[in-house]
Amino acid sequence: MKRLNDNQQYRETIILYKDQIKKQKKQSTSLIINQVLKACIELDDIKCGKDIHKNLSSYMLKNQFIENNLIRLYMKCGDYEKSKQIFLNSNNKTTPMFNNILNGLVDNNQCNEALNLFKDNNIPTNEYTFSILFKICSQINDKYSLKFGRKAFNQMPKNYHNSIVVITSALHMFTKCGDIYKAEQLFNEIKKKNLIVYGAMMNGYLENNMEQRAVDLFFQIEKPNEIILNIFFNACAQLKTKNALNLAKNVFDQLVVKSNDLLYSVLNMFIKCDDLENAQILFDRMKRDIIAYGSMMKLYNIKNQPLKTLELYEKLQEENFKPDKIILNLFFNACAQLKTKSALHLAKNVFDELIIKSNDLLYSVLNMFIKCDDLENAQLLFHRIDRDIIAYGSMMKFYNIKNQPLKTLELYQKLKEENLKPTEITFVLLIDACSEIGDLSLSESLIFQIPESFFIKSIYSKCID
């Protein structure tokens, strides 16, 4: 069974175990149980693992290696409470068992619980324990946890500084708390740096808005892997400079193997650097998904090319992609930019076919009706959405444009009834409506409702008028 597991033939291990149970009809040895539990963990065969657990004798349940594998098994299926129960009830708590429970809690997004467990136990630790602890503190990422992690780093055995795993984890923690000086100090102490160390340092620079340092560090790496290349292209995307764009192009052109994941990073970089030409070329040659379509549609909207956005909307449907909320928002925004009857008609058809209409989506459609000068549909939609002060402002502005100031005043009264707090923009629109009506007494009464803090230049000048 061990040989099968070593050769990653986990299913055969389980089959062999079941055959052995049928033939011998007696309890297996602890060695066999451990091997079959390892196979269950690797295959995510939680049901088989739980069945084995149920049939274990009380003697077997006290075996520290079996306890350790049961902790891993239940962590794998997300039942961290069961894992914790096994750990806390154990009379043979070991360092590997402690490490597994901490790591499992991290994998199940229970970092605060992991930190509390670390503090409440006096189980002997090793270098791996500290690497997990620094990971925990990085993921919690608050003042208290980072302070605790820093203290633990200063108190850990000095020989752990020779472990690249520990130092890399600590380096990541220090970049999280913004201590780049300490992170760089640790980075420079590592004599034989691997790609994981370089990646951690480059990511730390990105997280602390030091993109140029990440780019400079990249060129110190002899053979960057795909992860490092992704970080590099992301750094260039954040810099958004011509120099960064040119550097990225040169690196990209020299690559022999270009996976689709890498192409996505480069596409994002072209988009962020406002390089429409290269973004189009790359988009057409890559294996596209809905995210790539969304990125490209957004760029076309930014570049005031809404027709291109609509073309992509049609193309993604031809490729059997189902438009999500982001795609639909970009589509309606493109129609709003066009402001044509054909775009309005197309948007109405798409909107009418939608089954689920979130409030965010309804806002995009409302904006599209307003931009396309469709007062009737804008009114109908406005009354059915969950309105906020921005929606009120958009509709009030539209009524002012359409020379319907009384409607603007009605909306002002309505938003007060709904306990919404007017903004400076609301009052500017309100005063515009009053000036259109020419009712001085009404204007004066409304002006007295404006807080003194809102009397900025634009409002003040309108009040004088």
Side-chain angles (χ1 to χ4, degrees):
M1 290 174 75
K2 185 179 186 305
R3 190 179 299 133
L4 288 171
N5 278 348
D6 290 344
N7 291 322
Q8 298 181 357
Q9 295 175 278
Y10 306 116
R11 184 57 63 193
E12 285 78 3
T13 300
I14 294 173
I15 292 169
L16 184 60
Y17 167 77
K18 289 181 177 178
D19 287 345
Q20 181 252 351
I21 291 293
K22 284 179 183 178
K23 288 175 184 177
Q24 297 186 8
K25 296 183 179 179
K26 63 179 183 179
Q27 183 72 55
S28 301
T29 66
S30 59
L31 292 173
I32 291 173
I33 295 297
N34 270 310
Q35 290 302 324
V36 72
L37 284 175
K38 284 179 182 177
C40 292
I41 292 165
E42 293 297 332
L43 289 174
D44 283 340
D45 194 340
I46 308 303
K47 184 181 182 303
C48 180
K50 286 182 176 180
D51 289 341
I52 293 167
H53 183 198
K54 271 188 227 173
N55 295 313
L56 291 177
S57 66
S58 57
Y59 173 78
M60 285 283 194
L61 287 170
K62 292 177 183 176
N63 182 288
Q64 60 179 288
F65 299 104
I66 291 175
E67 285 178 321
N68 198 21
N69 277 319
L70 288 172
I71 286 170
R72 291 177 60 213
L73 175 79
Y74 286 105
M75 281 297 185
K76 196 81 182 279
C77 68
D79 192 351
Y80 57 88
E81 289 294 343
K82 185 71 175 176
S83 291
K84 258 181 63 184
Q85 184 186 4
I86 294 168
F87 174 75
L88 295 173
N89 292 338
S90 173
N91 294 319
N92 302 299
K93 295 183 181 73
T94 63
T95 304
M97 194 186 296
F98 189 41
N99 291 342
N100 277 329
I101 195 80
L102 291 175
N103 217 19
L105 287 169
V106 173
D107 290 341
N108 283 278
N109 299 314
Q110 300 296 317
C111 291
N112 283 302
E113 197 161 346
L115 185 58
N116 291 332
L117 191 65
F118 179 89
K119 291 188 289 185
D120 294 340
N121 280 276
N122 295 316
I123 299 165
T125 57
N126 59 15
E127 58 191 55
Y128 186 50
T129 316
F130 278 92
S131 72
I132 300 169
L133 173 64
F134 300 143
K135 183 180 178 182
I136 290 166
C137 295
S138 297
Q139 292 198 18
I140 297 174
N141 196 22
D142 62 17
K143 187 177 179 181
Y144 175 77
S145 62
L146 293 171
K147 183 180 178 182
F148 184 85
R150 186 188 290 271
K151 183 179 177 182
F153 177 81
N154 292 332
Q155 293 177 349
M156 77 176 185
K158 294 297 180 186
N159 61 309
Y160 288 2
H161 283 249
N162 298 324
S163 168
I164 196 167
V165 175
V166 174
I167 295 302
T168 303
S169 185
L171 185 155
H172 180 59
M173 178 185 69
F174 284 116
T175 60
K176 278 285 185 182
C177 61
D179 193 346
I180 290 294
Y181 176 79
K182 183 65 178 178
E184 287 180 326
Q185 190 180 44
L186 294 179
F187 178 78
N188 292 328
E189 284 177 8
I190 301 172
K191 294 177 181 178
K192 294 183 178 179
K193 300 176 180 66
N194 59 23
L195 293 176
I196 296 172
V197 177
Y198 276 108
M201 195 67 237
M202 288 176 69
N203 260 328
Y205 283 137
L206 289 191
E207 288 170 356
N208 287 273
N209 302 314
M210 297 178 176
E211 297 87 359
Q212 189 57 55
R213 288 199 194 183
V215 170
D216 294 340
L217 185 57
F218 170 80
F219 287 103
Q220 296 178 26
I221 304 170
E222 287 185 16
K223 294 181 180 179
N225 60 13
E226 189 172 305
I227 294 171
I228 298 292
L229 286 163
N230 274 316
I231 298 170
F232 167 72
F233 290 125
N234 286 338
C236 293
Q238 288 184 34
L239 282 169
K240 301 179 184 178
T241 62
K242 284 186 178 181
N243 183 51
L245 177 62
N246 289 331
L247 286 174
K249 281 180 183 176
N250 290 335
V251 170
F252 181 63
D253 290 340
Q254 291 172 23
L255 294 178
V256 178
V257 179
K258 300 175 182 179
S259 71
N260 217 55
D261 287 342
L262 202 58
L263 295 179
Y264 272 102
S265 288
V266 179
L267 176 65
N268 175 63
M269 186 269 302
F270 284 144
I271 290 171
K272 291 285 179 68
C273 292
D274 201 31
D275 187 345
L276 179 58
E277 182 182 353
N278 279 298
Q280 286 174 318
I281 293 169
L282 184 57
F283 179 81
D284 289 333
R285 63 178 274 203
M286 66 189 292
K287 185 179 179 182
R288 299 174 291 274
D289 64 4
I290 199 73
I291 298 171
Y293 269 102
S295 299
M296 205 64 206
M297 288 170 71
K298 184 179 179 181
L299 180 59
Y300 281 133
N301 279 355
I302 291 169
K303 301 294 283 184
N304 295 313
Q305 296 190 27
L307 285 173
K308 290 281 190 181
T309 302
L310 299 189
E311 285 176 17
L312 285 191
Y313 182 79
E314 288 183 12
K315 191 168 184 176
L316 70 88
Q317 290 180 302
E318 289 170 6
E319 294 185 10
N320 296 318
F321 287 113
K322 187 178 180 181
D324 59 15
K325 187 171 71 173
I326 295 171
I327 295 292
L328 288 165
N329 273 315
L330 292 166
F331 166 77
F332 289 124
N333 288 342
C335 293
Q337 282 186 33
L338 285 168
K339 302 179 185 179
T340 61
K341 285 185 178 181
S342 59
L344 177 62
H345 180 70
L346 178 62
K348 281 180 183 177
N349 288 339
V350 171
F351 181 64
D352 290 340
E353 290 173 2
L354 295 178
I355 298 171
I356 299 173
K357 300 175 181 178
S358 68
N359 215 57
D360 288 346
L361 203 56
L362 294 176
Y363 268 69
S364 288
V365 179
L366 175 64
N367 174 64
M368 184 270 302
F369 284 143
I370 291 172
K371 291 286 178 67
C372 292
D373 201 33
D374 187 345
L375 179 59
E376 182 183 353
N377 278 299
Q379 286 175 318
L380 290 171
L381 186 56
F382 178 80
H383 290 300
R384 62 178 280 202
I385 66 175
D386 185 13
R387 299 174 293 275
D388 65 5
I389 196 65
I390 297 172
Y392 269 100
S394 298
M395 205 64 203
M396 288 169 71
K397 182 179 179 181
F398 194 23
Y399 279 134
N400 281 354
I401 292 169
K402 301 296 285 184
N403 296 315
Q404 297 190 28
L406 291 174
K407 290 283 189 180
T408 300
L409 299 184
E410 284 177 19
L411 285 191
Y412 176 68
Q413 295 302 324
K414 194 174 180 74
L415 72 86
K416 288 203 299 180
E417 290 168 8
E418 293 185 11
N419 295 317
L420 291 173
K421 189 177 179 181
T423 65
E424 295 169 8
I425 294 171
T426 313
F427 286 117
V428 169
L429 294 167
L430 188 64
I431 294 166
D432 281 341
C434 291
S435 63
E436 189 68 29
I437 295 169
D439 189 332
L440 185 59
S441 61
L442 178 60
S443 299
E444 287 177 344
S445 66
L446 290 171
I447 286 169
F448 282 120
Q449 297 179 31
I450 304 175
E452 287 185 16
S453 60
F454 280 6
F455 269 90
I456 56 173
K457 187 175 180 181
S458 58
I459 292 181
Y460 187 74
S461 61
K462 285 183 180 293
C463 291
I464 292 172
D465 290 342

